[in-house]
Amino acid sequence: MSETGSARFAGRFLDPSLIARTYRDPLAWMSLATDLVPIAAILVFGWGATPLVALYWLENLIIGAYTILRLGGAAVVSFINLATALFMIPFFTFHYGMFCYGHGLFIRSFAGGEGNGGGAAPMDLVTWALGSGDGMLWFVGLIIVTNAVFFLVDYIGRGEFRRTDPPAEMFAPYGRIVTLHVAIILGAFIAIATDERLLGVLILIAIRVLFGIVLSLLRRMKLDGGLGKLAGKFAQPV
C-alpha cells in the first residue's frame, strides 16, 4: 500500500458515517463495554497495574482458544482448508502458546513485588494471573462470553467460516500481544516518570479501548465489504 493509500485508509477511521454505522450495532457497544469494565475493577476492587495486565494476558489466551475454534470451523469448508487446519492448529497451539508463555513470564516479572513468584510452568502462570486481583474470574468470564457472542453471530451466523483464510486467522491474534506489550511499557514509563501509578493504569486501559474501537471499525468495514483481505487478518473485534 502506497503512502497516499495508507493515509487515505487511515482517514477512513475518522469518517463520521463509518463511526455511526459501527455503533448502530449492539455488538460494537458490547465490545466497548467489555473494554471499559476494568475501570470498575479499579474502583470496586482497587486493582492496580498487576491484575490489569494479568487480565489482558488471560484475554490473549482466550483469543487463542477462539482462534483454534475459527481454524476448526474453516476446516469444514473444503479439503484444502481441512488439510491446512490439520497442520495449523497444532502449529498455532504450540507457537502461540510459547509466545503467550514468554509474554506471561515477562508480565509476572514486570509485576515485581506486587505479583512475582510461583513456578514457571504454564499453569503456574495461569494460576498467578487468576489470583492476581479480586473478582478476576468475573472479568475473565465476561471476556469469554463476549468472544462467544461474536463467534456465534459473525463467524457462524454470518457464515464467515465459509470465506475465511486459515493463515490469516492464525496470525490475527499476535497484534494483540504486541499492543499489550507496548501499552505495558508506555504505561509503566509514564507512571514512573510522573510518580502516578493510577495514571499508568488508566493509560493501559485507554490503549486497550482505542485498540478495541479500531477493531470494531475494521469489523464494520469488513461487513460493508470495503476492506478486502486486510479485514480478514485484523477485523476480529474483541
Side-chain angles (χ1 to χ4, degrees):
M1 185 180 292
S2 67
E3 185 175 342
T4 302
S6 298
R8 189 182 302 115
F9 177 77
R12 294 178 65 183
F13 287 101
L14 302 178
D15 180 2
S17 65
L18 172 62
I19 297 172
R21 292 196 309 277
T22 297
Y23 286 97
R24 278 199 294 265
D25 186 341
L27 291 189
W29 287 106
M30 183 179 187
S31 177
L32 180 60
T34 301
D35 290 340
L36 290 172
V37 155
I39 295 177
I42 295 172
L43 298 176
V44 176
F45 297 109
W47 277 19
T50 295
L52 183 62
V53 296
L55 175 65
Y56 290 155
W57 180 74
L58 289 167
E59 180 185 28
N60 285 332
L61 299 186
I62 294 166
I63 294 297
Y66 277 99
T67 298
I68 292 172
L69 290 178
R70 293 173 72 93
L71 287 169
V76 306
V77 176
S78 68
F79 177 77
I80 293 177
N81 278 7
L82 174 60
T84 303
L86 287 175
F87 167 75
M88 284 189 169
I89 289 175
F91 177 81
F92 172 80
T93 301
F94 175 78
H95 188 270
Y96 186 77
M98 292 302 295
F99 206 76
C100 287
Y101 174 67
H103 195 235
L105 289 175
F106 166 79
I107 288 174
R108 193 176 65 178
S109 176
F110 195 86
E114 289 185 68
N116 207 359
M123 284 308 301
D124 291 329
L125 289 175
V126 173
T127 300
W128 164 78
L130 289 173
S132 62
D134 293 337
M136 179 65 76
L137 286 176
W138 289 103
F139 297 104
V140 170
L142 176 61
I143 292 172
I144 292 173
V145 169
T146 301
N147 277 273
V149 171
F150 276 96
F151 180 79
L152 293 173
V153 172
D154 284 352
Y155 198 69
I156 303 300
R158 289 195 168 103
E160 280 187 11
F161 69 94
R162 298 189 184 93
R163 302 181 296 274
T164 192
D165 177 14
E169 293 289 350
M170 187 182 77
F171 287 108
Y174 289 91
R176 298 172 182 273
I177 295 183
V178 174
T179 300
L180 175 58
H181 198 81
V182 171
I184 291 171
I185 294 173
L186 179 61
F189 175 79
I190 294 177
I192 292 171
T194 62
D195 198 27
E196 291 287 345
R197 286 193 174 188
L198 180 59
L199 179 60
V201 170
L202 292 177
I203 288 173
L204 284 176
I205 295 175
I207 292 175
R208 179 60 185 87
V209 169
L210 180 61
F211 185 66
I213 290 172
V214 169
L215 289 177
S216 290
L217 293 172
L218 284 171
R219 173 178 174 267
R220 183 70 261 166
M221 293 165 73
K222 179 181 180 180
L223 293 175
D224 291 345
L227 204 55
K229 291 184 178 180
L230 184 63
K233 295 181 180 180
F234 300 109
Q236 296 180 27
V238 290

